[in-house]
């Protein structure tokens, strides 16, 4: 292989559209691109996704005898690039953590892997094995199995096993751990200031277990760890972290991939192309540049120039390419096929969705109740439903037809729904409060995608809780910490995501059809510690 061919193999890039566009074709043809990443912008329905994978591999086959690595962030729950009703959308990590059921954790990952493989995808950037022990973390939250290293390690290990036994390369992320941060690296630098002993006893525990499990890839965090790297640069760019710690002390021999180099923690402080060179210097094998063609080209050319100038030894490039080639052989990335007539029948089978149902029903967690549950099925009920309307780096607007109100309507006579935004404006707040006038039974779903619940949602809950003679039930449908902003409410549940099958499970719990079986995977407050679950008081 020429130097350009070797460096090209070390890059994973994204593009716009449901079919291969000119940019991605040029990266494959002219820059010997080794890998692709899909986002929501690339996926529509299963036939289209599989066709896209096939077309990319066929285009690549005309240029090279090395197959493409095709990747995606299909973590489950609220972070799923593919969420079509056709596929089996498995729950997210925190919901799975609340079940404490390792068999279901394995099955969820295996199902996800089987369906990704049928779509021509061969790498999943999952599981996240970050230990979410910081309630103010704005980017991990429900993407973590919980706040205890042993729980995260155990659940992460079986998820890795499930994905890889399905033929998918699993990726443990974000090394050395993004759980105890209060900044989002999509927008700026973050730091975990703890000493080595604490990091080895907590943050690194799931990664050590992942390595023991034989995880194919580990993704880096754009987070600074002064205990490992004295200079002010994130782990992705640190040779102390990637080579001395991960390769040396932890004895990891698999593929190291960066998180996206266009995230502001890298792009705004170091530049995308220079960041790519620094990541390779640090010991990364694969460099992820997700979005911009110009940045993708500049990064590839910068790494080639760094090798030609002697800044990066070509022998180091050779070692990275050997690891990449071995992964492509191991996971049979040259195996792809056309879409057949019966293709759609492989996805979302009854047996697979039954696994999801079991997880959802075992994850719903009753934190407190003062005799308000189950709901009175004959009492008119209004449900306040927050709808995700604004895009973030990990969330995209999703039109949801099956909500909590729909679930309750299956067992209750008179259920009305009022939709609000997750960041409701004052007028929206007033309208919601007024709409509840006359109702004696009110259910509020809260949705917190960042570190604290939006003040508009908090105001609605507080106003309704102050009304006399009203049965108010609040259920968080993402991060479980919302209770801390209205601790005096009588009844509170957590279900960690707002996907339809979870809402069906929550509806059954509220109506008294099934018990709440989940256990808190994180502490909400001193009186609601890790492992807490309440029982009905009525």
């Amino acid at each position: 292989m020429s130097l350009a061919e070797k460096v090209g193999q070390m890059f994973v890039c994204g593009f716009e559209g449901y079919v291969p566009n000119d940019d991605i074709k040029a990266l494959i043809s002219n820059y010997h691109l080794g890998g692709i990443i899909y986002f929501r912008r690339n996926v529509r329905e299963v036939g289209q996704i599989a066709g896209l994978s096939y077309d990319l591999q066929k285009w690549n086959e005309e240029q090279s005898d090395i197959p493409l690595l095709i990747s995606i962030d299909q973590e489950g729950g609220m972070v799923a690039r593919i969420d079509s009703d056709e596929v089996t959308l498995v729950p997210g990590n925190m919901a799975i953590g609340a079940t404490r059921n390792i068999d279901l954790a394995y099955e969820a990952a295996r199902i996800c892997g089987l369906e990704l493989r049928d779509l021509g995808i061969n790498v999943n950037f999952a599981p996240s094995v970050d230990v979410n022990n910081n309630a103010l973390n704005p980017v991990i939250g429900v993407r973590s199995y919980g706040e205890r290293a042993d729980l995260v390690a155990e659940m992460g290990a079986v998820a890795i096993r499930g994905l890889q036994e399905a033929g998918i390369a699993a990726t443990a992320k974000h090394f050395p751990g993004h759980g105890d941060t209060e900044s989002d690296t999509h927008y700026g630098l973050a730091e975990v200031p703890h000493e080595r002993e604490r990091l080895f006893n907590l943050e690194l525990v799931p990664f050590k277990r992942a390595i023991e499990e034989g995880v194919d890839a580990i993704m880096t965090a754009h987070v600074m760890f002064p205990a490992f790297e004295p200079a002010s640069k994130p782990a992705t760019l640190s040779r102390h972290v990637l080579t001395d710690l991960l390769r040396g002390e932890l004895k990891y021999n698999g593929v190291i991939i960066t998180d996206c180099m266009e995230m502001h923690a890298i792009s705004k402080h170091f530049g995308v192309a220079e960041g790519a060179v620094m990541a390779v210097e640090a010991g990364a094998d694969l460099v992820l540049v997700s979005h911009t063609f110009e940045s993708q080209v500049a990064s590839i050319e910068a790494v080639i120039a760094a090798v030609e100038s002697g800044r990066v030894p070509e022998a180091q490039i050779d070692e990275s390419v050997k690891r990449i080639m071995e992964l492509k052989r191991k996971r049979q990335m040259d195996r792809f096929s056309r879409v057949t007539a019966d293709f759609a029948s492989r996805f979302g089978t009854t047996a697979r969705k039954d696994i999801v149902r079991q997880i959802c029903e075992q994850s719903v967690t009753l934190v407190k109740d003062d005799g308000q549950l189950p709901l009175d099925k004959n009492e008119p009920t209004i449900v306040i439903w927050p709808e995700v309307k604004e895009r973030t780096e990990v969330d995209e607007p999703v039109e949801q037809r099956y909500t909590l109100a729909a679930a309750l309507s299956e067992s209750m006579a008179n259920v009305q729904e009022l939709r609000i935004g997750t960041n409701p404006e004052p007028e929206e707040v007033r309208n919601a409060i007024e709409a509840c006038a006359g109702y004696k039974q009110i259910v509020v779903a809260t949705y917190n995608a960042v570190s604290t619940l939006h003040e508009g949602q908090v105001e609605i809950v507080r106003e309704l809780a102050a009304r006399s003679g009203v049965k108010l039930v609040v259920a968080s449908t993402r991060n479980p910490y919302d209770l801390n902003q209205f601790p005096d409410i009588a009844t509170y549940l957590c279900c960690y995501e707002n996907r339809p099958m979870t809402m069906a499970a929550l509806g059954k719990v509220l109506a008294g059809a099934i018990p709440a079986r989940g256990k808190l995977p994180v502490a909400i407050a001193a009186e609601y510690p890790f492992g807490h679950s309440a029982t009905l008081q009525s």
Side-chain angles (χ1 to χ4, degrees), residues 389-401:
K389 298 178 180 179
E390 298 84 16
R391 186 191 185 282
T392 71
E393 290 297 327
V394 292
D395 275 333
E396 296 186 51
V398 177
E399 182 183 354
Q400 205 160 326
R401 293 179 296 277

Side-chain angles (χ1 to χ4, degrees), residues 14 38 53 55 99 206 254 332 418 443 452 510:
Y38 289 164
S53 300
D55 290 344
T99 71
Q332 299 180 302
L418 178 67
V443 179
T452 56
L510 296 179

Side-chain angles (χ1 to χ4, degrees), residues 14 63 66 93 177 180 225 269 276 320 335 393 456 477 492-493:
Q63 332 293 325
I66 302 169
N93 286 359
D180 196 3
F225 288 80
H269 294 269
S320 288
R335 191 189 75 191
E393 290 297 327
T477 62
Y492 182 75
L493 304 94

Side-chain angles (χ1 to χ4, degrees), residues 88-92 95-96 99 101-112 114-115 348-363 497 501-502 505 517:
T88 309
L89 179 57
V90 301
I96 293 172
T99 71
N101 191 319
I102 60 171
D103 294 331
L104 290 177
Y106 166 81
E107 283 298 326
R110 188 183 69 86
I111 289 167
C112 179
L114 290 171
E115 296 198 357
T349 64
T350 300
R352 290 175 181 177
K353 289 194 172 181
D354 186 61
I355 295 293
V356 174
R357 179 192 58 77
Q358 291 180 53
I359 296 171
C360 294
E361 292 185 357
Q362 292 183 30
S363 69
E497 56 195 62
M501 291 188 77
T502 300
R517 297 170 59 187

Side-chain angles (χ1 to χ4, degrees), residues 16 65 79 112 114 150 159 190 192 209 225 227 238 256 273 286 294 305 358 426 435 477 495 524 528:
E16 293 280 348
D65 59 358
V79 183
C112 179
L114 290 171
D150 55 350
V192 176
R209 180 70 181 276
F225 288 80
S238 169
I256 299 174
L286 286 169
E294 291 76 14
Q358 291 180 53
T477 62
C495 52
I524 294 177
Y528 311 116

Side-chain angles (χ1 to χ4, degrees), residues 201-427:
N201 289 334
L202 187 67
E203 277 79 7
L204 292 179
V205 170
F207 291 100
K208 289 188 285 186
R209 180 70 181 276
I211 292 167
E212 292 170 4
E213 188 61 43
V215 69
D216 284 339
I218 290 179
M219 178 178 282
T220 67
H222 299 331
V223 177
M224 295 185 293
F225 288 80
F228 299 134
E229 173 55 74
S232 296
K233 57 184 176 182
T236 297
L237 310 183
S238 169
R239 190 167 182 85
H240 290 303
V241 174
L242 302 192
T243 298
D244 299 343
L245 175 61
L246 184 51
R247 294 275 186 226
E249 293 187 62
L250 301 185
K251 309 300 182 187
Y252 178 62
N253 297 314
V255 169
I256 299 174
I257 181 167
T258 72
D259 208 339
C260 179
M261 304 303 286
E262 291 182 275
M263 291 164 63
H264 288 184
I266 302 296
S267 62
K268 297 297 185 184
H269 294 269
F270 305 92
V272 178
E274 174 60 16
V277 175
M278 293 175 71
V280 172
E281 282 184 302
D285 302 308
L286 286 169
V287 179
L288 178 60
V289 187
S290 299
H291 303 293
T292 311
F293 178 72
E294 291 76 14
S295 293
Q296 293 161 346
V297 169
S299 298
I300 294 170
E301 291 178 343
V303 173
I304 293 171
V307 178
E308 290 174 337
S309 71
R311 179 178 172 183
V312 176
E314 190 163 357
Q316 183 178 329
I317 301 294
D318 292 340
E319 288 300 312
S320 288
V321 173
K322 284 179 185 177
R323 283 188 281 265
I324 295 164
M325 295 300 103
E326 174 56 29
L327 178 59
K328 290 187 173 185
R329 284 191 294 270
K330 180 181 180 182
R331 295 299 166 209
Q332 299 180 302
M333 295 186 184
D334 59 345
R335 191 189 75 191
F336 58 96
S337 58
R338 288 186 178 277
V339 178
T340 57
D342 65 342
F343 184 73
S345 66
R346 302 180 197 176
F347 302 88
T349 64
T350 300
R352 290 175 181 177
K353 289 194 172 181
D354 186 61
I355 295 293
V356 174
R357 179 192 58 77
Q358 291 180 53
I359 296 171
C360 294
E361 292 185 357
Q362 292 183 30
S363 69
V364 177
T365 309
L366 179 63
V367 178
K368 61 186 300 192
D369 176 52
D370 189 15
Q372 310 228 71
L373 293 179
L375 296 175
D376 183 343
K377 295 181 181 180
N378 298 312
E379 180 69 36
T381 303
I382 186 168
V383 178
I384 306 297
W385 175 261
E387 193 169 27
V388 179
K389 298 178 180 179
E390 298 84 16
R391 186 191 185 282
T392 71
E393 290 297 327
V394 292
D395 275 333
E396 296 186 51
V398 177
E399 182 183 354
Q400 205 160 326
R401 293 179 296 277
Y402 190 89
T403 63
L404 178 56
L408 287 173
S409 293
E410 294 178 4
S411 59
M412 297 177 62
N414 186 348
V415 179
Q416 300 298 317
E417 177 183 73
L418 178 67
R419 296 197 180 200
I420 62 173
T422 53
N423 301 324
E425 298 294 333
E427 183 178 359

